[in-house]
Amino acid sequence: METPTPDPHFGTTLDGRYVLGERIRSGASGSVYLAHDRAEGRTVTVTVLHPWLLTDHAAVHAFQNRAQDLSEISHPDMARILDHGRDGDRVYCVTEYVPGETLAEALGGGGLRYAPHIALGMAASLLSVLDTVHRAGLVHGDLGADQVVADGSGGARLTGFPLLFDAEEDAGPEPRSDVYAVGALLYTLMTGESAATGEGRSLRPSSVDPDLPPDLDMLVAGATDPNPRYRPRDAGQYLTLVEQVLRSLPRPPGEPGADDTRPIPVVAAAPAATAALPPAARERRPRRRRVPVLLTAGAVAAILFAVGWALVPEPEVTLPDVVGTTTDEAEARLDGLGIQLIVHYGDVYSDTVGPGEIAGTEPEVGSVLREGDEVVLSLSLGPRFTEVPDVVGGTEHEARTSLRESGFTMIEVVQEHSPDELPGTVLSTVPAAGEEGDRDAAVTVHVSEGVIVPTLLGMTEEEAATALEDLGLGASAVEEHHDTVPQGEVSTQTPEPGSILPEEGTVTFTVSAGPEPEEEEEEPSDEPEEPSEPEASDEDGGHGGDRGDGRGDGRGDGRDEGDESSCAAPWDPGTVYDRGDRVSYEGRVYESLWWIHDFSPGDSSAWGPWVDRGPC
């Protein structure tokens, strides 16, 4: 029988602080270990760079830089980077340990699924983390079900940020890669099937469960489009779409789970974490956390009574004043009383004590305590009433973020028609900006309504036009040759799937005319060439006019009747352009998709208000 080779890092202490235990996984970044932090008395995970990469200075530098960048990001649903450094020939990074069941473990071998509103809630938690990460110029890059831990209340915590990426890749991951990963995870959560079965095409949950609402198909298909260009550009944009669908989604009777839905996994204390550590790391827990103390005290009392010590009085102490102190200071004072106490924590609003500090105790300060008594320390949440931030004019997601940072957790969104504002723009709040809001009550955010653009790729022209008509959107079709898309199917669309347009907005899509026909070579002729006729001007029905999109010169595209050139009037930053207006910019013609002012065509992406109509 072959004896396994012992792990060389097991039991090692890094920088005199982190005692490495069992290796739990390996990847491109290195090996990941459960570990004990002696300074803080807690379980952490430590990633140790592979030994063969130590001589690769670029890899070491990239590892340390990535750890430093991630350590500057904080989000309640993200496993934080706590520390990083180098101890001799070991380069390491310390990460917060998140106990509980991962989604990969919860789903098991497949077939289990979550109700749509629970799956969307988890996706929203992940996208909120990724939005913070993307805003910092970073990405996750390796998100999957085994990096997500369910929090037991419908949310999720994100772990497993790689510290190195595959050097053989032509380009590293970018935000749209994370968007794809969340879309694929949504598909798995709602169908119970692996997203790998749909590689090479957009995933649609209705292909597995036809009863799922079409909005879910739109969300998943848009995020998992094989072409990254057609996905939401980042987590923030995808989060806005997920939240819109989540609000409109009917909830099944008897929630949180329907008959075909696995219950929400409950985060456990993960007792195996301590067992996986070396003996030196298994330190004794503080006395106040040893819940069986009542049983121990009872047993000791019985023994003392049996030997005639029953008349010895129990020691009594007075509860000290710990209001205004930190939790560490309060626990230190309680430990100094010389008796064993059971300490619990609660939350309370306070106008005088700062958030996170002790705002009160139960029993009250000065009360008499005996061995085994329970003490509740109430942590301050800050004032209950606080000023509502000004979020008018921003996006719905920006409003949610700002309100949450101000302490408002109950946020209700109401969509309203607005002829003046783009869809998704915050119109007002109740209470209004600057007014005192109750953090225990809801803040209502009024948002300009709009229509989510569906995915048209692969549809016929008739199917695409019908899909847009059903949503109240206009359709403009053009035809172009395409080498790979079958003739008659939609090859591209503007704006991209998942964009939000005003009511009666227009979507332009391109229908494939098949591959370009091969040009036949002309046989040389002995006859002299006839001089060619000059091309007709616009007035003679030549290149002027509508450029084949059915608009004509009467659409206000910025051209003069007598203009013989094929280019529109130059773009003017001071001019207000309406839908359908055309301008020329750097030798190309651009058409406005909606009302626009002071927005350069050169700054417009496929999601922007200008669409490129070709060269002049």
Side-chain angles (χ1 to χ4, degrees):
M1 180 177 178
E2 185 177 347
T3 302
T5 303
D7 190 297
H9 296 313
F10 182 85
T12 300
T13 301
L14 299 178
D15 284 334
R17 175 172 180 176
Y18 305 109
V19 185
L20 301 185
E22 176 188 0
R23 181 171 61 184
I24 53 179
R25 64 178 178 273
S26 291
S29 307
S31 296
V32 183
Y33 296 83
L34 277 176
H36 179 74
D37 180 356
R38 284 179 168 176
E40 297 292 337
R42 61 186 174 186
T43 299
V44 295
T45 62
V46 177
T47 303
V48 181
L49 186 68
H50 291 307
W52 56 84
L53 292 175
L54 288 173
T55 57
D56 186 341
H57 298 295
V60 173
H61 185 68
F63 182 99
Q64 293 175 325
N65 280 357
R66 169 97 166 152
Q68 177 60 37
D69 291 341
L70 288 172
S71 70
E72 297 172 0
I73 297 176
S74 177
H75 191 284
D77 291 332
M78 169 184 168
R80 295 173 296 126
I81 301 296
L82 304 173
D83 192 11
H84 61 91
R86 181 165 188 164
D87 183 359
D89 58 353
R90 294 180 176 90
V91 178
Y92 66 90
C93 175
V94 182
T95 307
E96 178 185 9
Y97 173 69
V98 180
E101 189 177 38
T102 67
L103 290 183
E105 293 167 339
L107 293 169
L112 299 174
R113 63 181 69 179
Y114 286 83
H117 67 282
I118 296 178
L120 290 179
M122 291 183 178
S125 296
L126 299 178
L127 289 169
S128 180
V129 177
L130 292 173
D131 181 36
T132 302
V133 173
H134 291 175
R135 287 172 181 269
L138 304 173
V139 295
H140 187 287
D142 190 30
L143 193 155
D146 52 349
Q147 278 88 38
V148 180
V149 178
D151 66 5
S153 61
R157 296 198 68 189
L158 184 56
T159 68
F161 281 79
L163 296 168
L164 284 179
F165 295 110
D166 191 345
E168 297 180 0
E169 294 182 358
D170 295 334
E174 46 98 27
R176 281 185 167 97
S177 303
D178 287 342
V179 169
Y180 181 95
V182 176
L185 184 59
L186 261 179
Y187 175 85
T188 299
L189 291 175
M190 292 188 293
T191 65
E193 293 197 357
S194 170
T197 59
E199 288 184 353
R201 58 183 174 83
S202 296
L203 299 170
R204 297 181 181 274
S206 65
S207 64
V208 178
D209 185 354
D211 294 331
L212 290 174
D215 281 352
L216 300 178
D217 268 0
M218 179 278 298
L219 274 182
V220 176
T224 58
D225 194 293
N227 187 341
R229 181 171 176 267
Y230 299 131
R231 303 171 197 159
R233 64 176 176 269
D234 56 26
Q237 188 172 52
Y238 195 30
L239 177 59
T240 298
L241 301 178
V242 169
E243 288 177 334
Q244 287 178 338
V245 173
L246 184 57
R247 286 197 307 272
S248 63
L249 198 65
R251 301 218 172 191
E255 60 178 354
D259 292 340
D260 64 343
T261 306
R262 179 184 172 91
I264 304 172
V266 178
V267 176
T274 303
L277 298 175
R282 301 172 195 163
E283 296 181 356
R284 186 170 179 263
R285 296 286 185 182
R287 292 180 300 171
R288 60 183 176 279
R289 295 178 182 172
R290 299 178 65 87
V291 177
V293 66
L294 290 175
L295 298 178
T296 304
V300 171
I303 295 173
L304 294 178
F305 181 82
V307 296
W309 290 355
L311 297 179
V312 177
E314 292 184 13
E316 295 181 349
V317 295
T318 301
L319 179 62
D321 185 0
V322 294
V323 173
T325 66
T326 65
T327 55
D328 289 342
E329 292 171 341
E331 289 181 358
R333 292 188 187 181
L334 295 181
D335 283 342
L337 297 177
I339 64 172
Q340 293 179 333
L341 297 173
I342 301 174
V343 179
H344 303 285
Y345 287 93
D347 294 323
V348 65
Y349 290 111
S350 174
D351 295 328
T352 58
V353 178
E357 296 179 348
I358 307 299
T361 64
E362 186 178 341
E364 297 179 351
V365 172
S367 299
V368 174
L369 299 177
R370 296 180 178 84
E371 190 82 11
D373 281 352
E374 295 188 2
V375 176
V376 178
L377 302 179
S378 298
L379 301 180
S380 171
L381 296 172
R384 175 172 175 175
F385 295 90
T386 188
E387 184 176 305
V388 176
D390 186 2
V391 296
V392 175
T395 65
E396 176 187 334
H397 175 63
E398 291 170 344
R400 287 179 178 274
T401 301
S402 181
L403 288 168
R404 286 169 183 156
E405 290 175 349
S406 297
F408 297 101
T409 57
M410 299 171 60
I411 303 171
E412 297 179 354
V413 177
V414 177
Q415 291 194 339
E416 295 180 357
H417 176 70
S418 173
D420 303 321
E421 298 291 347
L422 292 175
T425 303
V426 177
L427 305 175
S428 63
T429 61
V430 179
E435 295 182 356
E436 289 287 312
D438 186 348
R439 292 166 61 191
D440 262 357
V443 175
T444 303
V445 181
H446 295 263
V447 178
S448 177
E449 66 183 357
V451 181
I452 300 175
V453 177
T455 299
L456 305 177
L457 306 182
M459 295 184 180
T460 65
E461 180 177 349
E462 182 179 356
E463 291 171 341
T466 300
L468 295 174
E469 181 181 354
D470 291 343
L471 294 173
L473 297 175
S476 175
V478 295
E479 189 176 85
E480 288 183 3
H481 291 287
H482 200 287
D483 293 335
T484 59
V485 176
Q487 183 173 352
E489 293 186 4
V490 176
S491 59
T492 60
Q493 67 179 90
T494 304
E496 296 183 3
S499 302
I500 304 176
L501 286 183
E503 293 181 359
E504 301 181 357
T506 298
V507 177
T508 301
F509 57 88
T510 304
V511 180
S512 172
E516 290 270 6
E518 296 183 2
E519 296 184 2
E520 297 183 2
E521 296 184 4
E522 296 183 1
E523 295 184 3
S525 174
D526 295 335
E527 298 181 5
E529 294 185 1
E530 294 289 337
S532 60
E533 294 291 334
E535 292 185 2
S537 67
D538 290 352
E539 296 176 352
D540 296 329
H543 294 295
D546 63 0
R547 298 185 61 80
D549 63 359
R551 294 191 180 277
D553 287 336
R555 294 299 304 276
D557 60 1
R559 303 183 190 182
D560 296 326
E561 290 291 335
D563 185 8
E564 295 187 359
S565 71
S566 63
C567 219
W571 171 73
D572 178 18
T575 300
V576 175
Y577 295 98
D578 206 348
R579 182 166 63 90
D581 288 348
R582 292 192 176 192
V583 298
S584 63
Y585 183 83
E586 296 184 351
R588 302 188 71 81
V589 176
Y590 291 85
E591 181 179 332
S592 173
L593 293 178
W594 55 76
W595 183 93
I596 190 65
H597 174 252
D598 196 21
F599 191 94
S600 168
D603 296 333
S604 184
S605 66
W607 294 75
W610 294 104
V611 59
D612 189 343
R613 292 301 188 195
C616 292

